[in-house]
DNA sequence: ACTGATATGTTATTAAGTTACATCAGTTGC
DNA sequence: GCAACTGATGTAACTTAATAACATATCAGT
């Protein structure tokens, strides 16, 4: 239903590693340009270096793209294998992103698709709002 | 759960009408810049004219923004009053967008939010894939 | 060493969205 | 009528996001 791993991941290239590490150690999602800035010292000069690495990482399922933010996060799941549809809850105050998967939503999407002859390739579910921590402060 | 109408709509301004009509008569979603081009003859010169109108129209619930496309569509529902969460199925071949609402998904989102102390303000559900028509051709 | 596939580097360009500032039109209060 | 306020508009400049085009490098397999 959601994105499948189309490429076999063996080893990350240098650039992919740098981009992934930048995302992994960040508190929240980063835009491609923010990543670029963080990696200037590692020799990154142009957006394309970041976008190319991101494309692969998303393909591998190690990174998710947040459509409503034009930004990217490292996948929260340690070994990031197969999971179904993933939903994101994005705090508009602190920027924190919670990732969860939900089979019921996935079934509903599949159901609508089946009923309408639609063949889904990727499903985006993003909830914008305020997280518990920010609401209590 | 999803976006609420925060502004009371009475009459559309000239620019809002122009932008809405452009969207309403389009077959699929349009980007802000595409709208701008269509409205050059009506005196539009700058992106901001489009964005300002779009902001209001989205506020009124007459237009939806497709996050995964950076584009906008006129709402499919005639009187576009209250509906709950709206999902979009977007054909990547022909660009056609189907809009549907789904209470089960809305409940799931609400449920997760309640369990996690998250207060949602807007929920995005976008399914990318291929529509029935395109699959049979 | 030669070939093909993948990864990289670099420049320039297109697309998307915002900031800042000036103006204009309608309304409300006096 | 006129000041004061509010919302809509126009315009230029700018930032941010993403891609196109082209050159080069790296490496596996033969």
């Amino acid at each position: 239903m959601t994105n499948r791993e189309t490429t076999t991941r063996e080893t990350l290239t240098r650039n992919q590693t740098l981009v992934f590490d930048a995302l992994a150690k960040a508190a929240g999602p980063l835009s491609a340009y923010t990543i670029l800035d963080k990696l200037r010292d590692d020799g990154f000069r142009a957006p394309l270096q970041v976008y190319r690495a991101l494309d692969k990482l998303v393909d591998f399922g190690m990174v998710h793209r947040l459509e409503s933010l034009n930004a990217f996060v490292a996948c929260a799941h340690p070994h990031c294998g197969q999971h179904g549809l993933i939903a994101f809850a994005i705090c508009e105050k602190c920027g924190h992103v919670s990732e969860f998967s939900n089979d019921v939503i996935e079934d509903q999407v599949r159901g609508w698709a089946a009923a309408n002859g639609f063949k889904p390739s990727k499903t985006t579910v993003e909830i914008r709002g305020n997280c518990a921590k920010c609401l209590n402060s």
Side-chain angles (χ1 to χ4, degrees), chain A residues 14 19 35 40 42 48 51 57-58 61 63-65 73 75-76 78 80 86 88 90-91 95 112 114 118 125 133 135:
Chain A
R14 173 185 146 83
V19 168
I35 296 173
R40 295 258 179 220
D42 298 291
L48 206 50
Y51 282 111
L57 292 168
V58 168
V63 164
H64 302 297
R65 182 193 163 96
V73 279
C75 178
C80 214
I86 303 178
F88 301 92
I90 304 166
C91 178
W112 184 91
F118 190 93
V125 178
K133 194 181 269 181
L135 287 171

Side-chain angles (χ1 to χ4, degrees), chain A residues 8-89:
Chain A
T8 2
R9 146 159 148 62
E10 287 157 14
T11 325
L12 296 183
T13 67
R14 173 185 146 83
N15 285 4
Q16 287 161 12
T17 305
L18 287 167
V19 168
F20 181 76
D21 288 349
L23 281 172
K25 77 177 176 206
L30 300 178
S31 76
Y33 278 72
T34 305
I35 296 173
L36 175 58
D37 282 340
K38 285 184 187 290
L39 296 181
R40 295 258 179 220
D41 293 344
D42 298 291
F44 273 50
R45 325 286 320 271
L48 206 50
Q49 296 176 287
V50 177
Y51 282 111
R52 286 201 273 230
L54 285 171
D55 277 352
K56 292 293 183 181
L57 292 168
V58 168
D59 225 38
F60 297 154
M62 301 174 66
V63 164
H64 302 297
R65 182 193 163 96
L66 300 175
E67 305 283 358
S68 70
L69 238 43
N70 290 342
F72 301 83
V73 279
C75 178
H77 300 69
H79 309 303
C80 214
Q82 242 57 337
H83 20 222
L85 179 146
I86 303 178
F88 301 92

